[in-house]
Amino acid sequence: MWGWVQRVVSSLGGGVGGGGGSGIESRWDVSVAVGVTAMAGVALAAAIIITSRRGSIRSPWSRRKRKHALSRQQWNSFFNPDGTLRDRGVKMFKKIRSGGVDPSIRAEVWPFLLGVYDLNSSESERSDIRIKNRKEYEKLRRLCCKLVERCAKQLKEMGEVGNAECGTGLDGSESSSSENFSSARPSLSTERDGMVDSAAGLPQNEETPESNSCHIEEDEGKSGVTHLDTSPKEIEPSDTDSSVDDETETILITSLARADEENSQEATRPDLDDTDTHKPKKTAEDFETWQRIIRLDAIRANDEWIKYSKTQASVSEDAAQQAAIAVRLKDYEHLESCRIYHAARLVAVLEAYAIYDPEIGYCQGMSDLLTPILTVMDKDDEAFWCFVGFMKKARHNFRLDEVGIRRQLSIVSKIIKCKDTHLFRHLEKLQAEDCFFVYRMVVVMFRRELTFEQTVCLWEVMWADQAAIRAGIGKSAWGRIRSQAPPTDDLLLYAIAASVLQRRKLIIEKYSSMDEIIRECNSMAGHLDVWKLLDDAHDLVVTLHDKIG
């Protein structure tokens, strides 16, 4: 750099002052030299800054400032007069990817991101979808009530009903709270022995003593639906419909239960006790177990959501009590009204989902995923279908065979290996190259590591990617512009890898065991910048997407 400056000054001096060297020319030469030197100094400083930041700047995503969230005015401008989205939602997706969604319009935007509405649907078509979805949800709620009533009748016939009630007879050891849920994943859990608790795995749907079974009052006037604007009488089936519903219920539950049993038998779980393989798999019994765990998790749900939903936070005591009675919630006397109301909504939607997808049923951790959706969506049926859309991708996190979890951990491991071989070699020395230490992040999708608002922002960007891919936009609109990070189904995994890479120095220099890395990952809660995390994740997408596949 300095040699270049000297050559420039020398050439200038020789060309101007070679004729006689007057005082004016000499002063001009000095001025030129000083000016060039100053410019060189600026260039050198810039070079130093660029060099020092080269490790953190790898794509335009890292240089940009976070744009404003999608506003109401912008949202309205995306629609044609008939209510259809312009340009297949391309502008909408790009805006959400760069700044998220304003809280005031999330309830309108999320159904598009989660596939509840087709991107090409008109307003009238979406109205028909809402009516159809409401009826389907109410039918699922009726099936929930019938299953728990059947369970109660069986117990009465056996003479063992006693004082059994929903939620009673369960102590904390039967099913840990959503804050400290234990693992039921036989393969990964046993491979890592006692590490699962700290990594926050998932629960095992074990059979519980019959004395803990739920007893539901046979009151035909209670539907179990938590819509406050829909009376139970309006959705309770008439006598003429009951036989049809019973037949539908039998066909639906028997067929799905059989498929669930076949899938479970195909999974290799060598650590299962031999006696477990001879237990009959009955959906009603499984539902009874799910129901008890759901209620326990609902009661223990945290209250972080309250400040993000003023309407639900100010719910009246009467409304909360009605919602609790509708789902037969128990042991909630210590909760304030808004938390009772939220717990009842959790129960209603999660029970309906257990019937809708009996292969998955309910596992602890699903309530963590549902809470933000319930906070945004005021109506249970709309929240349910958004949750269904969310779970189309997330459900693989809760399969007993753990195929989905293993695939995702493998991708995180591959990203780290491709990006930072030094860190990966250190993980290999610690026998942590399988990245089991990010198990919790994968399962509940950063819900424990980010604040409520940060979680929602990350999910919105992730959902926008997934919706763009569903619409066939990924390859056509962004695929040709590599620097803008094309949408990917695995953005969450890139973000998880980015969170580990951000702590590479600490992991390499200070940590010498898997336990220490797990503790570091669990301590990220409240200390992550979600937009910096997304920038780093997009950097990884730009540089590694083709390699990861």
Side-chain angles (χ1 to χ4, degrees), residues 139-153:
K139 182 176 180 181
L140 289 168
R141 286 300 309 155
R142 290 197 296 269
L143 290 177
C144 291
C145 292
K146 288 185 178 182
L147 279 175
V148 295
E149 288 169 1
R150 177 187 298 174
C151 171
K153 289 178 181 179

Side-chain angles (χ1 to χ4, degrees), residues 143-422:
L143 290 177
C144 291
C145 292
K146 288 185 178 182
L147 279 175
V148 295
E149 288 169 1
R150 177 187 298 174
C151 171
K153 289 178 181 179
Q154 290 175 348
L155 289 176
K156 286 181 179 179
E157 292 173 358
M158 295 168 60
E160 296 180 8
V161 66
N163 295 322
E165 295 179 343
C166 288
T168 60
L170 277 180
D171 56 23
S173 61
E174 284 286 335
S175 174
S176 60
S177 71
S178 59
E179 289 300 319
N180 296 291
F181 48 82
S182 60
S183 174
R185 296 309 191 227
S187 52
L188 284 179
S189 305
T190 51
E191 286 174 9
R192 290 303 186 184
D193 299 321
M195 296 180 185
V196 179
D197 288 336
S198 56
L202 297 176
Q204 190 165 12
N205 290 339
E206 297 178 349
E207 295 293 331
T208 54
E210 291 178 346
S211 59
N212 291 334
S213 300
C214 295
H215 166 53
I216 304 301
E217 297 178 3
E218 298 180 49
D219 186 351
E220 294 296 330
K222 298 177 182 178
S223 69
V225 179
T226 63
H227 294 298
L228 298 182
D229 58 345
T230 305
S231 65
K233 293 181 180 179
E234 292 177 331
I235 61 173
E236 191 66 28
S238 63
D239 292 339
T240 56
D241 295 334
S242 61
S243 60
V244 177
D245 280 350
D246 287 341
E247 182 179 359
T248 302
E249 174 193 358
T250 301
I251 295 173
L252 172 67
I253 293 186
T254 301
S255 61
L256 291 178
R258 185 180 302 113
D260 185 27
E261 182 176 359
E262 290 172 356
N263 289 335
S264 298
Q265 289 175 348
E266 290 175 1
T268 302
R269 294 182 299 224
D271 56 329
L272 284 177
D273 184 50
D274 290 339
T275 58
D276 290 341
T277 60
H278 301 293
K279 289 183 179 179
K281 291 186 176 295
K282 299 179 181 178
T283 302
E285 294 176 1
D286 291 339
F287 180 80
E288 178 194 352
T289 302
W290 298 332
Q291 182 194 47
R292 289 197 298 275
I293 302 173
I294 288 170
R295 278 162 169 71
L296 187 60
D297 286 353
I299 292 296
R300 295 181 177 182
N302 64 49
D303 59 358
E304 186 186 6
W305 62 271
I306 292 176
K307 62 182 179 181
Y308 298 99
S309 179
K310 295 180 179 179
T311 56
Q312 295 180 48
S314 59
V315 68
S316 68
E317 184 176 352
D318 286 344
Q321 291 291 337
Q322 289 175 14
I325 292 172
V327 296
R328 279 72 170 181
L329 192 66
K330 301 290 183 180
D331 300 330
Y332 57 81
E333 293 77 10
H334 61 290
L335 299 178
E336 54 187 322
S337 297
C338 61
R339 291 189 65 188
I340 295 172
Y341 183 75
H342 182 70
R345 296 189 71 203
L346 280 171
V347 170
V349 174
L350 289 171
E351 281 186 346
Y353 186 81
I355 294 294
Y356 178 85
D357 187 2
E359 181 186 0
I360 301 301
Y362 177 74
C363 289
Q364 287 173 308
M366 290 169 61
S367 59
D368 292 86
L369 304 185
L370 176 59
T371 287
I373 295 176
L374 286 181
T375 304
V376 169
M377 313 299 294
D378 289 332
K379 294 183 178 180
D380 287 3
D381 61 301
E382 294 178 358
F384 171 79
W385 289 108
C386 282
F387 186 62
V388 168
F390 190 8
M391 288 294 290
K392 285 181 180 178
K393 292 291 184 182
R395 71 187 295 275
H396 300 292
N397 294 352
F398 303 96
R399 290 178 58 93
L400 284 175
D401 58 18
E402 292 192 323
V403 170
I405 292 290
R406 289 179 180 276
R407 170 194 166 273
Q408 293 177 87
L409 293 179
S410 175
I411 291 176
V412 173
S413 175
K414 190 181 296 185
I415 293 171
I416 294 174
K417 182 179 181 180
C418 290
K419 188 62 181 178
D420 194 328
T421 55
H422 187 193

